[in-house]
């Protein structure tokens, strides 16, 4: 069956430079798996489709290439939905190829068809979050759909796409499809660059706000990356840089112009400066709710007065979505900042030493206070002790992949990321369970680097299949489980507003705190397992895991304490409003 559409598909994937296909098997996609058996492409089998989707997502974020996910009909596709949505909302290029029921049985409710009550199709499940979904009806159309899926996933604002294929189509004759074409991303016109540079140069309190779209390793063409140009622009005009959660590490935390995150996680200095800035240059940011203090002008961004917003984004739908824009441009942000850095050279250098000193004091104070709390010998460990030991034990270029809760918020707020390091987290969907499997995908993309999945016990429990996945793939991920036997962040939120926590904490039948033995699970799966029983053991376990280069799970008992989130988020007002009415 070497002339089938399945073999043509695999040949096309090889031509596209695909290294890995992540997924699970099912009767609707085994023709593709058979074709992959003779290919240079490695199939990464997972024990659950959500794990496969997160792993493909992590691979894409770390490699800059689209992740490829192969799933089965019905529950295979629906199990993957959360992982694909996570990638889509974070603008990660992901191509999903799903097997479907035989084309000639559609609507008769064959095995695992999901359109029970409506004349729909399974691709409709993905339509709210993918950029485009194709239903392939003929074998000769599969190659064109896959070519468009890769093109669409990478072009403009990156995202997820779906190619849905009836299982019989994979077994029909088809010829390989020609290689994909390429086109240059849109740049910023010279006149626009000159106008924006002049506006920034004339400002008294300018600010650059950077979003996740400028991530170095997330761009398809590294030549278009503009981090160095961004720094050159900021330094020439002495403009402070704030960033979104997803952009942490885009500019090194230690840079003297970095104000840090805005909004919910933001320091008072950062939010105050953002609120009072007279010109804001927003680069590839959607002004997400947490980065914008629920869009309440009292806290972070206020464009109701004389403030000028300049917004540059590859996605035209983002221009003016949340705030009125004075100057807008649709452009690749990497190319745009290069044009702006060049245009800024026509203006004199600026110097704001007092502002730099304020930034230094605020940022150094933040990190120093966290390090001081991280010296605690309390046991179970305080979260910042875990962060302190982690930073000391892992290489400077390690990749930190977090889940949600203290691990994500703590790293985002008070972990001083080394310039060589990388921070990967679920932003738009804030998906619990992202971290474990995504870290495996990151490790496959970056085999030479230390990859740490910093996760809570809730996130680890949600994706236990990640451990055997790491073992099978020989991926030496270090899973650090910050174990407070609770969905701690939500438990804190509930206790703060309702006076008690119910349904958020893990207990046994007697009401005692409960947790699986994650270290024993690791050993059972063929990985190394470490249970921390004293404060000193964490550092030793981390150093051993880094040295051994094997998958390892480190179970760290942690006290449940509030996450460092000093800013505003409207969800808290909703609870307060309930009791004030």
């Amino acid at each position: 069956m070497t002339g089938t559409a399945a073999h043509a598909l695999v040949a096309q994937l090889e031509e596209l430079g695909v290294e890995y296909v992540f997924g699970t098997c099912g009767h609707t996609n085994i023709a593709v798996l058979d074709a992959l058996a003779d290919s240079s492409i490695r199939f990464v089998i997972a024990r659950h489709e959500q794990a496969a989707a997160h792993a493909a997502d992590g691979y894409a974020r770390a490699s800059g290439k689209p992740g490829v996910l192969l799933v089965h009909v019905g529950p295979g596709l629906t199990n993957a939905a959360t992982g694909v949505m996570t990638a889509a909302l974070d603008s990660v290029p992901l191509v999903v190829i799903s097997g479907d029921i035989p084309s000639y049985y559609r609507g008769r409710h064959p095995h695992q068809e999901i359109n029970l009550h409506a004349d729909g199709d399974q691709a409709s499940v993905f339509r709210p979050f993918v950029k485009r979904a194709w239903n392939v009806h003929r074998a000769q159309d599969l190659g064109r759909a896959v070519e468009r899926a890769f093109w669409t996933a990478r072009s403009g604002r990156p995202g997820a796409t779906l190619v849905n294929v009836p299982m019989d189509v994979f077994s029909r004759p088809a010829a390989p499809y020609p290689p994909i074409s390429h086109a240059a991303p849109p740049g910023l016109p010279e006149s626009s660059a000159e106008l924006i540079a002049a506006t920034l140069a004339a400002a008294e309190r300018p600010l650059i706000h950077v979003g996740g779209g400028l991530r170095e390793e997330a761009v398809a063409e590294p030549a278009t990356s503009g981090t160095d140009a961004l720094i050159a622009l900021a330094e020439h005009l002495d403009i402070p840089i704030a960033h979104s959660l997803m952009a942490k590490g885009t500019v090194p935390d230690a840079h003297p112009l970095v104000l840090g995150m805005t909004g919910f996680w933001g320091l008072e200095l950062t939010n105050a400066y953002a609120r009072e800035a007279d010109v804001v240059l927003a680069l590839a940011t959607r002004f997400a709710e947490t980065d914008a203090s629920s869009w309440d002008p009292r806290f972070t961004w206020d464009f109701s007065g004389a403030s000028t917003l300049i917004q540059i984004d590859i996605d035209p739908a983002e221009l003016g979505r949340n705030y009125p824009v004075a100057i807008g441009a649709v452009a690749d942000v990497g190319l745009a900042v290069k044009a702006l850095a060049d245009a800024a050279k026509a203006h004199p250098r600026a110097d704001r030493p007092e502002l730099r000193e304020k930034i230094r004091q605020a940022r150094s104070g933040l990190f120093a206070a966290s390090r001081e709390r991280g010296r605690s010998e309390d046991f179970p460990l305080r979260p910042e002790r875990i962060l302190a030991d982690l930073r000391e034990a892992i290489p400077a270029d390690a990749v930190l992949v977090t889940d949600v809760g203290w691990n994500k918020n703590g790293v985002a707020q008070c972990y001083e990321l080394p310039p060589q390091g990388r921070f990967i987290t679920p932003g738009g969907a804030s998906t619990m369970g992202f971290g474990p499997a995504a870290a495996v995908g990151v490790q496959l993309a970056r085999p030479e680097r230390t990859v740490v999945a910093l996760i809570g016990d809730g996130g680890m429990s949600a994706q236990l299949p990640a451990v055997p996945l790491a073992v099978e793939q020989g991926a030496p991920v270090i899973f650090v489980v910050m174990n407070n036997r609770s969905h701690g962040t939500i438990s804190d939120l509930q206790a703060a507003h309702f006076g008690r926590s119910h349904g958020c904490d893990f207990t046994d039948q007697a009401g005692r705190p409960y947790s699986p033995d994650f270290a024993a699970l690791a050993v059972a799966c063929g990985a190394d397992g470490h249970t921390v029983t004293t404060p000193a053991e964490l550092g030793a376990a981390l150093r051993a895991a880094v040295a051994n280069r094997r998958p390892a799970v480190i179970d760290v008992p942690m006290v449940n304490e509030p996450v460092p989130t000093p800013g505003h988020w409207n969800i808290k007002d909703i609870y307060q409003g309930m009791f004030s009415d």
Side-chain angles (χ1 to χ4, degrees):
M1 298 179 69
T2 56
T4 67
H7 283 85
L9 167 64
V10 170
Q12 184 179 17
L13 295 178
E14 290 175 341
E15 190 70 35
L16 289 165
V18 173
E19 300 174 297
Y20 298 94
V21 171
F22 300 81
T24 56
C25 61
H27 67 266
T28 60
N29 64 25
I30 54 174
V32 179
L33 294 177
D34 181 71
L36 283 170
D38 301 317
S39 168
S40 61
I41 298 171
R42 183 166 151 190
F43 180 66
V44 179
I45 182 173
R47 282 168 166 75
H48 193 276
E49 290 84 0
Q50 184 176 342
H54 288 320
D57 180 354
Y59 171 83
R61 296 188 199 223
S63 69
K65 301 177 181 179
V68 181
L69 178 65
L70 179 67
V71 297
H72 173 54
V73 68
L77 179 132
T78 56
N79 282 347
T82 297
V84 177
M85 178 186 69
T86 300
L89 295 185
D90 285 349
S91 302
V92 176
L94 193 69
V95 176
V96 184
I97 301 170
S98 62
D100 202 349
I101 59 164
S103 58
Y104 43 81
Y105 283 156
R106 186 173 184 272
R108 298 183 67 181
H109 294 175
H111 185 54
Q112 295 185 314
E113 186 179 26
I114 64 174
N115 64 330
L116 183 60
H117 299 299
D119 187 22
D121 54 72
Q122 68 174 16
S124 300
V125 175
F126 276 30
R127 291 191 192 278
F129 47 84
V130 296
K131 293 182 70 177
R132 175 85 189 272
W134 288 264
N135 280 310
V136 176
H137 301 291
R138 304 183 305 165
Q140 56 265 45
D141 295 333
L142 176 59
R144 174 64 175 169
V146 170
E147 185 263 352
R148 286 292 85 194
F150 273 81
W151 177 258
T152 304
R154 297 176 66 176
S155 63
R157 177 179 176 174
T161 57
L162 171 68
V163 180
N164 189 60
V165 189
M167 62 177 291
D168 57 299
V169 169
F170 283 134
S171 296
R172 297 182 187 278
Y177 197 79
I180 193 170
S181 58
H182 293 278
L188 185 68
E190 184 177 351
S191 59
S192 298
E194 291 173 351
L195 172 62
I196 294 170
T199 304
L200 290 169
E204 292 184 8
R205 290 177 59 86
L207 174 65
I208 298 174
H209 181 54
V210 184
L214 199 63
R215 293 171 301 209
E216 283 284 351
E217 292 171 294
V219 292
E221 302 292 341
T224 68
S225 174
T227 298
D228 290 342
L230 170 65
I231 294 173
L233 170 66
E235 290 180 346
H236 184 75
L237 297 178
D238 216 28
I239 302 175
I241 301 170
H243 60 79
S244 69
L245 166 72
M246 300 302 292
K248 181 180 173 69
T250 300
V251 178
D253 275 341
H255 192 282
L257 285 173
V258 171
L259 278 163
M261 290 183 297
T262 59
F264 187 44
W265 293 284
L267 295 173
E268 175 54 33
L269 174 65
T270 310
N271 282 324
Y273 192 92
R275 209 164 46 241
E276 299 163 6
D278 57 351
V279 175
V280 176
L281 171 61
L283 299 170
T285 177
R286 60 189 180 92
F287 288 104
E289 182 183 6
T290 47
D291 297 317
S293 296
S294 296
W295 310 289
D296 190 321
R298 295 174 297 170
F299 298 99
T300 301
W301 306 106
D302 184 3
F303 296 103
S304 60
S307 304
T308 297
L309 174 59
I310 305 168
Q311 191 171 6
I312 301 176
D313 203 288
I314 194 69
D315 184 357
E318 291 300 333
L319 300 186
R321 178 192 294 276
N322 288 311
Y323 296 109
V325 174
I327 303 173
V330 177
D332 175 277
V333 71
L335 297 176
V337 292
K338 289 181 179 181
L340 291 174
D342 289 340
K345 295 174 183 176
H347 301 273
R349 295 185 67 90
D351 188 23
R352 297 179 175 88
E354 292 183 1
L355 176 58
R356 285 191 176 223
E357 178 58 21
K358 286 183 180 179
I359 294 173
R360 187 196 67 78
Q361 290 181 11
R363 297 278 285 171
S364 62
L366 166 70
F367 295 131
S370 181
R371 285 194 295 270
E372 182 61 33
R373 292 188 292 271
R375 294 189 179 96
S376 171
E377 290 292 322
D378 292 347
F379 194 84
L381 295 181
R382 297 189 68 182
E384 282 160 302
R385 171 60 187 265
I386 298 174
L387 298 187
D389 285 10
L390 185 70
R391 196 175 191 281
E392 185 177 324
I394 64 176
D397 68 347
V399 184
L400 275 182
V401 185
T402 74
D403 210 73
V404 295
W406 222 108
N407 49 89
K408 172 176 121 175
N409 301 334
V411 170
Q413 174 64 256
C414 53
Y415 187 95
E416 190 172 7
L417 191 70
Q420 311 97 308
R422 179 80 192 275
F423 169 63
I424 293 176
T425 195
S430 291
T431 303
M432 187 178 70
F434 166 85
V440 178
V442 170
Q443 187 72 84
L444 292 177
R446 299 294 177 195
E448 77 287 359
R449 293 172 77 166
T450 296
V451 177
V452 177
L454 187 63
I455 47 187
D457 52 305
M460 187 74 247
S461 298
Q463 280 300 316
L464 294 177
V467 179
L469 177 63
V471 172
E472 290 166 341
Q473 299 303 320
V477 174
I478 303 172
F479 302 91
V480 178
V481 184
M482 301 173 74
N483 192 347
N484 57 13
R485 294 170 169 79
S486 173
H487 293 307
T489 300
I490 305 304
S491 181
D492 286 341
L493 181 66
Q494 187 185 41
H497 294 284
F498 294 91
R500 60 180 178 177
S501 175
H502 179 74
C504 301
D505 307 308
F506 301 117
T507 59
D508 62 15
Q509 288 296 306
R512 296 169 299 202
Y514 167 79
S515 176
D517 188 335
F518 292 113
L521 171 71
V523 174
C525 292
D528 295 336
H530 306 267
T531 299
V532 173
T533 59
T534 67
E537 289 179 359
L538 174 57
L542 284 166
R543 288 187 290 273
V546 170
N548 290 341
R549 296 297 290 168
R550 282 174 39 80
V553 175
I554 304 176
D555 192 345
V556 191
M558 182 185 80
V559 67
N560 197 22
E561 63 181 40
V563 175
T565 47
H568 172 75
W569 188 21
N570 176 252
I571 193 169
K572 294 184 177 182
D573 289 348
I574 292 172
Y575 295 128
Q576 290 165 354
M578 288 170 57
F579 294 105
S580 62
D581 289 345

